[in-house]
Amino acid sequence: MKIRVNKDRCPQNHKCPAISVCPKNAISQENPFSLPVVDSSKCIVCGKCMMYCPKKAFEKTDD
Ligand code: SF4
């Protein structure tokens, strides 16, 4: 199980609010107009980012 960002749901027009709530510092974003990226080597799939994203862009995948 992994978490990824659905690029069709993320408007890529603001700083990702989930970055500061991730307990593993697994989310990065180059700038406020780019897609946030989840580092699967750090992510523990806790789901916090899924709760904080206003666009529900974080989703679990089976990869
Ligand atoms: S599921 Fe948890 S650990 Fe993984 S990116 Fe989201 S907040 Fe970070």
Side-chain angles (χ1 to χ4, degrees):
M1 187 78 79
K2 285 182 183 173
I3 300 277
R4 69 161 179 219
V5 183
N6 183 329
K7 65 174 172 25
D8 295 328
R9 296 188 74 93
C10 175
Q12 300 174 54
N13 64 3
H14 58 274
K15 184 180 174 195
C16 175
I19 292 173
S20 58
V21 300
C22 176
K24 293 297 179 180
N25 220 4
I27 307 168
S28 60
Q29 185 184 29
E30 224 166 82
N31 63 66
F33 302 101
S34 62
L35 193 70
V37 175
V38 179
D39 181 342
S40 59
S41 70
K42 294 181 183 172
C43 175
I44 54 171
V45 196
C46 69
K48 280 198 176 159
C49 48
M50 299 175 77
M51 291 191 289
Y52 277 84
C53 173
K55 301 294 183 182
K56 303 277 179 255
F58 289 86
E59 49 190 32
K60 290 181 181 174
T61 72
D62 283 331
D63 320 338

